[in-house]
Amino acid sequence: MANDFPLTTPTIWQRVRLLSRSLLSIIWIKQLEPLDLEFGRASIAALYRCRARSNGLGLDDQTWSDLDLDTYCGQLARGFSIFGLQQLYSVLRLGRDRIGLDAQRTRILAICEQDTFLAALRIQMIPLRNVRQELCSLLFEGVAPRRPWWSPYAFLLPITMTVSLGACFFMPMFLVVAAPLLVGFIAIQSRYYAEVEDWEATWDAVRKLLAVTIGISKIGADKLCVLLPSYPFGALQKRAAAALRGLSPSPFIDFVPGLRAYADWYFLRNITGHLKSYSIFKANSALIIECYDCVSSFELDLMLAQHLSNNSGRCWAQ
């Protein structure tokens, strides 16, 4: 009996196409949603504490607890960062005036009508969900580590060590200088290592905040200015890019395995970079605050718009 559907041998071109599709399906795996990190009550309420000093105390703790607003905040903020959660907590406790409510209502309506475009912007904000440190204490309360007395001369430390080690190849007697200097470097590293690690989490949050500001500006600044003119992402882009370049570590340091550890312990790379970050933050503190206000407020509007979009029975009171 003849076969009605004879088998055909695929051509080389067909095999290449099948192989390329298989490779693309492996490469373009759907991005996994990061897990929401848990933050304590003090971190979540940091922005509220700063605003309550000038705007009054707002909703008292007992009323907040009776209304179970902690649970409500957790439900709304699921899938968003600590920045949006802080903004939500502050608004729920302090409220908004009539003008602020009308403006937010307009923004949320615009977001609900542009869900496809705003979904692309939300993808740009995913890195914020990996932030491990809140920034309000640093930005608004001035809680920053103290600079040691020798910090203005920190740039001389790696230079001195490099010269001493280089001189040892020509005159071994310079080991008398290099050995005590190395012991001093190890002592400094042991003293400030934990502080630098804690501060690195803060600077990682700042870098991600600036990177998200730039990312949103690149993919939709013009449309966003028309859709939501109260968010100045386009105006912040160039300043944020310049600040981010100063905060970003050298990519070469991670290219060579083990180079980071040697640079930290023998040349105090992390300590000098840690001290340099103080001056960078002081020079860009106003910009970082602008980015924080812009991104966290935008995230709050996205949060509320998503909450309303998921509720099919919503309506707007005119």
Side-chain angles (χ1 to χ4, degrees):
M1 184 176 178
N3 190 352
D4 294 332
F5 301 97
L7 296 175
T8 58
T9 303
T11 63
I12 296 177
W13 173 243
Q14 289 175 332
R15 290 177 178 176
V16 170
R17 289 180 60 186
L18 288 173
L19 179 60
S20 62
R21 288 178 182 177
S22 300
L23 291 174
L24 286 175
S25 65
I26 295 173
I27 296 172
W28 296 102
I29 298 175
K30 183 180 179 181
Q31 185 178 11
L32 294 176
E33 287 277 320
L35 297 176
D36 291 328
L37 301 178
E38 295 290 335
F39 287 88
R41 178 73 174 274
S43 297
I44 296 173
L47 181 61
Y48 160 71
R49 289 196 308 270
C50 299
R51 290 177 173 173
R53 296 191 183 102
S54 57
N55 299 334
L57 295 178
L59 202 64
D60 62 89
D61 291 339
Q62 185 60 49
T63 305
W64 178 272
S65 178
D66 292 342
L67 294 174
D68 196 20
L69 290 178
D70 279 326
T71 302
Y72 182 67
C73 279
Q75 292 174 350
L76 259 66
R78 189 174 295 117
F80 292 89
S81 74
I82 178 62
F83 301 146
L85 178 56
Q86 288 175 328
Q87 196 72 242
L88 174 64
Y89 185 94
S90 175
V91 168
L92 287 178
R93 293 209 63 158
L94 293 174
R96 289 192 189 275
D97 56 19
R98 184 64 187 176
I99 297 176
L101 285 173
D102 290 341
Q104 188 174 41
R105 176 181 178 274
T106 302
R107 294 196 304 269
I108 294 175
L109 274 173
I111 290 174
C112 291
E113 293 172 358
Q114 298 285 337
D115 53 344
T116 304
F117 172 63
L118 273 304
L121 294 179
R122 269 211 66 187
I123 294 176
Q124 294 293 320
M125 304 180 76
I126 287 179
L128 294 180
R129 294 175 60 184
N130 294 321
V131 167
R132 296 175 288 119
Q133 179 67 38
E134 64 90 16
L135 295 177
C136 285
S137 301
L138 175 66
L139 296 177
F140 302 108
E141 297 180 340
V143 180
R146 286 185 175 182
R147 299 183 64 177
W149 63 267
W150 47 267
S151 59
Y153 313 103
F155 72 96
L156 294 173
L157 297 176
I159 296 175
T160 306
M161 175 58 76
T162 303
V163 172
S164 299
L165 292 177
C168 289
F169 286 99
F170 302 98
M171 299 183 65
M173 63 176 296
F174 272 94
L175 285 172
V176 178
V177 178
L181 194 60
L182 180 60
V183 173
F185 275 28
I186 295 175
I188 293 174
Q189 186 70 245
S190 302
R191 163 63 180 82
Y192 290 98
Y193 185 80
E195 183 178 314
V196 170
E197 288 298 306
D198 292 339
W199 188 249
E200 180 58 31
T202 300
W203 280 114
D204 179 66
V206 173
R207 286 193 292 265
K208 286 177 179 175
L209 176 65
L210 295 175
V212 166
T213 303
I214 297 168
I216 293 176
S217 302
K218 285 182 177 179
I219 69 169
D222 296 337
K223 187 174 182 179
L224 200 60
C225 286
V226 176
L227 182 64
L228 302 170
S230 59
Y231 293 119
F233 283 105
L236 294 172
Q237 180 182 358
K238 289 185 179 180
R239 295 161 58 201
L244 185 60
R245 283 193 295 270
L247 288 169
S248 300
S250 172
F252 179 73
I253 200 70
D254 292 319
F255 183 75
V256 180
L259 182 60
R260 175 185 290 271
Y262 279 105
D264 287 350
W265 285 95
Y266 294 103
F267 297 97
L268 298 183
R269 183 207 60 87
N270 58 339
I271 304 295
T272 54
H274 171 59
L275 297 174
K276 179 184 176 183
S277 66
Y278 289 126
S279 57
I280 294 176
F281 170 75
K282 187 176 181 180
N284 296 280
S285 58
L287 168 66
I288 297 171
I289 290 174
E290 286 184 66
C291 292
Y292 173 86
D293 286 335
C294 190
V295 170
S296 62
S297 298
F298 181 56
E299 196 171 24
L300 173 61
D301 288 344
L302 285 177
M303 192 185 302
L304 296 176
Q306 176 179 283
H307 177 66
L308 293 174
S309 298
N310 293 337
N311 184 1
S312 59
R314 76 180 191 275
C315 66
W316 290 98
Q318 301 293 334

